[in-house]
Amino acid sequence: MTSAIGTAATLAARAGGTVVRLVRWTIDPSASRPAGAGGPASGWLVVTVFRDLTDIDSAALPAPLAEFGERIEVRVRPAADGKGTELAARLRDQASGTAARRLGGNDAQADLRSALRRAKQLLEVGEVLAVDPAPHGERTPTPGGALLESWTRSAPKAGVR
C-alpha cells in the first residue's frame, strides 16, 4: 500500500512540474532556453532555402509570407558557401507579444516563424508537407494526453518542443 502511495505522489509531482514548466515557458519562452539561445535582437528570422538565388523573387513572395503584406520586411541573399539562399523576414513593428497573447495563440512572431517555414517548403518542394489528421487518432482524455494535445496544436507555430 505504501509503495502505491509513493508512486502516486511521484507521478503527481512530475505532472505538477511539467505544468509549471509549461506555464513558465508560455509566460517567458526565453527562460527555458540555454544562455545565448534566445531570439536575435534584430528580430530577423532566417531559413536557408536549397534553391538558387535567381529562383527566389522577393517581389513575389510565397503565399504564407505574402499574407503579412507590409507588416514584414524580407531579405533574400546567398547563403554561406553557396549552399542555397537565405530567406529572412522580420516584423516591422518590433513590439513583443505579451504573455496573454502567447497564451491565446496570437503571437505575431510565432506566426511569422511558421509562415517562413511553410514558405521554405513551398520554394523547395512545391507544397507544404503536413500530417493531418494525426495518424494516432484521439488520445485518451488524461492530464498527460491533454498536455500532449496542447503541445501538438501549438507545434506548427513554435516547432517541436
Side-chain angles (χ1 to χ4, degrees):
M1 184 78 156
T2 306
S3 65
I5 293 173
T7 302
T10 301
L11 290 174
R14 286 183 183 170
T18 301
V19 169
V20 168
R21 280 190 298 278
L22 177 63
V23 170
R24 286 177 63 193
W25 182 88
T26 302
I27 292 170
D28 183 14
S30 64
S32 63
R33 295 185 185 129
S42 66
W44 286 102
L45 299 171
V46 183
V47 293
T48 301
V49 180
F50 296 110
R51 297 292 300 257
D52 211 36
L53 180 63
T54 57
D55 294 341
I56 300 174
D57 182 10
S58 60
L61 296 171
L65 290 176
E67 291 172 2
F68 280 87
E70 293 297 317
R71 295 185 306 151
I72 62 170
E73 295 177 61
V74 177
R75 183 173 63 196
V76 180
R77 65 182 187 188
D81 294 331
K83 299 196 185 227
T85 302
E86 281 187 358
L87 178 61
R90 75 173 170 183
L91 294 167
R92 289 187 191 276
D93 178 19
Q94 291 291 328
S96 171
T98 63
R101 294 193 80 187
R102 280 195 301 270
L103 277 169
N106 296 326
D107 186 12
Q109 188 77 359
D111 292 339
L112 179 58
R113 187 179 308 111
S114 177
L116 199 55
R117 278 196 313 270
R118 287 178 298 168
K120 172 184 168 74
Q121 289 182 13
L122 284 170
L123 289 167
E124 289 180 347
V125 184
E127 64 180 310
V128 176
L129 306 173
V131 177
D132 194 88
H136 52 70
E138 293 292 319
R139 287 189 179 87
T140 325
T142 63
L147 185 60
L148 190 54
E149 284 294 337
S150 72
W151 280 341
T152 303
R153 277 192 304 276
S154 67
K157 289 190 175 183
V160 178
R161 298 185 187 182

